[in-house]
Amino acid sequence: MCGRFVMIPRDVVERIVREVEQGLPPGVPDYELAGLDAFPGACVPVVVPGEGANGSGRLAVAELDWGYPVSWAKRPVFNTRVDTATGPRGQMWRESLEQRRCAVPTLGFYEPHRTERAVSPKTGREVKVQCAFGLPENPVTFLGGIYEDGHFSIMTCEPNRWVHDVHDRMPLVLRPSELGDWLGPRYADLFDRRDVELACRVA
């Protein structure tokens, strides 16, 4: 369950998108690596198919609010389980998944450890240890998402072996080379993320 990630400013995302389109590894200079933590409700630059592109060709960048507003909860729904969206109870998500997918460029995402705890230096209280994850070969880690009416939700799936001991879910992590497949008709091929290696550090 992803509830925090490091967002990348829009101007940097625009450059990253052009690099991905050219088949280049997306680069983020050291002076741009600070980033800002994004939480549900934040307005975030995300990658979407260009108009009329249908997942192939040029990519575009849109600024969307993180979380679908719903009448039955005070907070927006910011994660969408793959198994729920594709199952018999996935009506809320099905149209977005089939027709409006996006990719969220990040400098890594956080998950609270399921068992390990530590004293917070800010509050002095015992809290769950926060673990930061990202692709080991590049600072940019994309997360698969869906969107509707100016809002997006991050897709989550079964944890792979790099996340399993920390949390029972993980965001649907995308390699830069997989953006075209996620935004195109073969998106379901990417639901299984067991082979996507992730680096982990205590945040």
Side-chain angles (χ1 to χ4, degrees), residues 65-133:
D65 293 332
W66 185 11
Y68 279 37
V70 292
S71 59
W72 40 266
K74 293 182 179 180
R75 299 181 64 192
V77 179
F78 54 90
N79 284 165
T80 302
R81 295 172 63 108
V82 165
D83 51 329
T84 298
T86 57
R89 301 176 63 185
Q91 297 92 334
M92 173 178 171
W93 311 111
R94 191 163 295 122
E95 184 183 358
S96 293
L97 179 60
E98 292 175 354
Q99 311 208 7
R100 293 181 298 277
R101 291 175 304 283
C102 62
V104 186
T106 78
L107 295 177
F109 64 92
Y110 298 89
E111 296 290 4
H113 201 287
R114 65 170 83 198
T115 58
E116 293 186 11
R117 305 180 73 87
V119 175
S120 168
K122 293 182 180 179
T123 65
R125 298 178 180 175
E126 192 177 75
V127 296
K128 290 183 178 180
V129 169
Q130 294 291 312
C131 297
F133 291 91

Side-chain angles (χ1 to χ4, degrees), residues 46-50 62 64-65 68 80 93 95-97 99-103 145-155 182-183:
V46 304
V47 182
V48 298
L64 305 176
D65 293 332
Y68 279 37
T80 302
W93 311 111
E95 184 183 358
S96 293
L97 179 60
Q99 311 208 7
R100 293 181 298 277
R101 291 175 304 283
C102 62
I146 56 177
Y147 66 100
E148 179 180 346
D149 296 332
H151 301 267
F152 76 95
S153 178
I154 291 175
M155 299 295 296
W182 176 248
L183 299 178

Side-chain angles (χ1 to χ4, degrees), residues 118 129 132 167 170 175 189 193:
V129 169
H167 205 274
M170 64 176 273
R175 304 178 182 96
D189 293 347
R193 302 280 78 193

Side-chain angles (χ1 to χ4, degrees), residues 140-189:
V140 181
T141 298
F142 291 92
L143 309 180
I146 56 177
Y147 66 100
E148 179 180 346
D149 296 332
H151 301 267
F152 76 95
S153 178
I154 291 175
M155 299 295 296
T156 67
C157 58
E158 292 293 322
N160 61 23
R161 60 193 174 100
W162 291 276
V163 180
H164 182 270
D165 289 342
V166 173
H167 205 274
D168 61 357
R169 301 289 297 175
M170 64 176 273
L172 198 155
V173 176
L174 302 170
R175 304 178 182 96
S177 61
E178 295 174 320
L179 289 190
D181 286 340
W182 176 248
L183 299 178
R186 298 183 56 187
Y187 64 92
D189 293 347

